[in-house]
Amino acid sequence: DIVMTQSPDSLAVSLGERATINCKSSRSVLYSSDNKNYLAWYQHKPGQPPKLLIYWASTRESGVPDRFSGSGSGTDFALTITSLQAEDVALYYCQQYYGTPRTFGQGTKVEIK
Amino acid sequence: QVQLQESGPGLVKPSETLSLTCTVSGGSINNYYWSWIRQPPGKGLEWIGFISSIGTTSYNPSLKSRVTISVDTSKNQFSLKLTSVTAADTAVYYCARDARGVDVWGQGTTVTVSS
């Protein structure tokens, strides 16, 4: 299985400031035949299903605000929220869809400082 | 816009079989992979497995001996069966579409295993 490890487990950021979440995979999720990283990011709020934010490591899903961005390749990835808003308080997960079983990071809780 | 809705019992007795169905509306079930994902209370997301519209399956090895996922394209539905459940199977269960990550999720249904 590909193990996904996120850091930190939680972070508190002031409104309008930058939040960065890291995700490391135990094996590369870069598929050589199409040069795509099979890595997604989700936002999960209580009582709601997770919401896809980013796929192919850096492509924003339709309707996702541009303050959310994804970066990285191979085994090291990051999700950045450039100007944290109150509605961004949530759990964030990375997930690899390079292979099966699909695996998620343990989650990072983002709060307002 | 594709929507997913889980249905099934919210309470299952220990050692019995958990059965859930996901109905796909607003689009066809064909040409995609369809997943079941769960979240136990206070824990993270766990992928249970998926099925293609032609019935190809893949399961999480941690659950493989107890899981069956099936598809009924005529009804635009897919289903989950998890046998010999214990309290550790108590969770919110989501059905979802596997496409460049998981791009469509059901609202989730809470299943409690208790006598």
Side-chain angles (χ1 to χ4, degrees):
Chain A
D1 299 5
I2 299 176
V3 177
M4 309 300 291
T5 304
Q6 292 180 226
S7 62
D9 289 334
S10 65
L11 75 162
V13 175
S14 300
L15 287 171
E17 296 299 305
R18 177 187 298 256
T20 299
I21 301 166
N22 299 299
C23 175
K24 189 174 184 67
S25 58
S26 61
R27 296 205 305 272
S28 175
V29 297
L30 174 62
Y31 195 36
S32 56
S33 66
D34 60 9
N35 201 38
K36 289 183 176 180
N37 287 283
Y38 284 59
L39 188 285
W41 288 97
Y42 304 89
Q43 177 190 66
H44 195 191
K45 296 181 178 180
Q48 299 181 22
K51 175 186 175 183
L52 177 65
L53 296 176
I54 303 285
Y55 57 95
W56 303 134
S58 60
T59 302
R60 205 176 298 113
E61 175 74 329
S62 176
V64 173
D66 61 6
R67 64 180 180 274
F68 292 92
S69 63
S71 62
S73 185
T75 61
D76 292 281
F77 302 90
L79 173 71
T80 300
I81 311 171
T82 52
S83 177
L84 191 76
Q85 305 298 303
E87 61 264 32
D88 301 334
V89 169
L91 270 167
Y92 291 84
Y93 294 94
C94 61
Q95 181 222 11
Q96 64 79 20
Y97 52 101
Y98 180 91
T100 58
R102 304 293 198 231
T103 46
F104 294 88
Q106 80 276 19
T108 295
K109 187 175 184 179
V110 173
E111 300 172 302
I112 304 295
K113 185 187 291 183
Chain B
Q1 182 168 345
V2 175
Q3 294 185 312
L4 307 180
Q5 181 64 59
E6 304 90 351
S7 58
L11 181 64
V12 182
K13 290 182 168 53
S15 80
E16 295 191 345
T17 296
L18 180 160
S19 297
L20 296 174
T21 296
C22 183
T23 300
V24 180
S25 60
S28 174
I29 202 168
N30 292 324
N31 302 317
Y32 285 99
Y33 281 79
W34 302 92
S35 293
W36 288 97
I37 296 165
R38 70 181 183 179
Q39 184 174 34
K43 296 189 177 182
L45 297 167
E46 180 181 31
W47 182 79
I48 299 170
F50 65 31
I51 190 165
S52 74
S53 55
I54 60 170
T56 305
T57 56
S58 179
Y59 300 134
N60 193 321
S62 67
L63 297 168
K64 188 173 184 176
S65 63
R66 298 194 291 131
V67 172
T68 302
I69 298 175
S70 58
V71 65
D72 186 337
T73 54
S74 67
K75 294 182 178 179
N76 244 28
Q77 293 178 333
F78 62 105
S79 298
L80 168 71
K81 289 191 186 302
L82 181 66
T83 62
S84 304
V85 298
T86 69
D89 296 309
T90 293
V92 176
Y93 285 77
Y94 297 99
C95 61
R97 187 173 76 177
D98 187 284
R100 47 177 178 75
V102 177
D103 66 339
V104 182
W105 297 74
Q107 282 300 306
T109 187
T110 299
V111 179
T112 301
V113 178
S114 175
S115 55

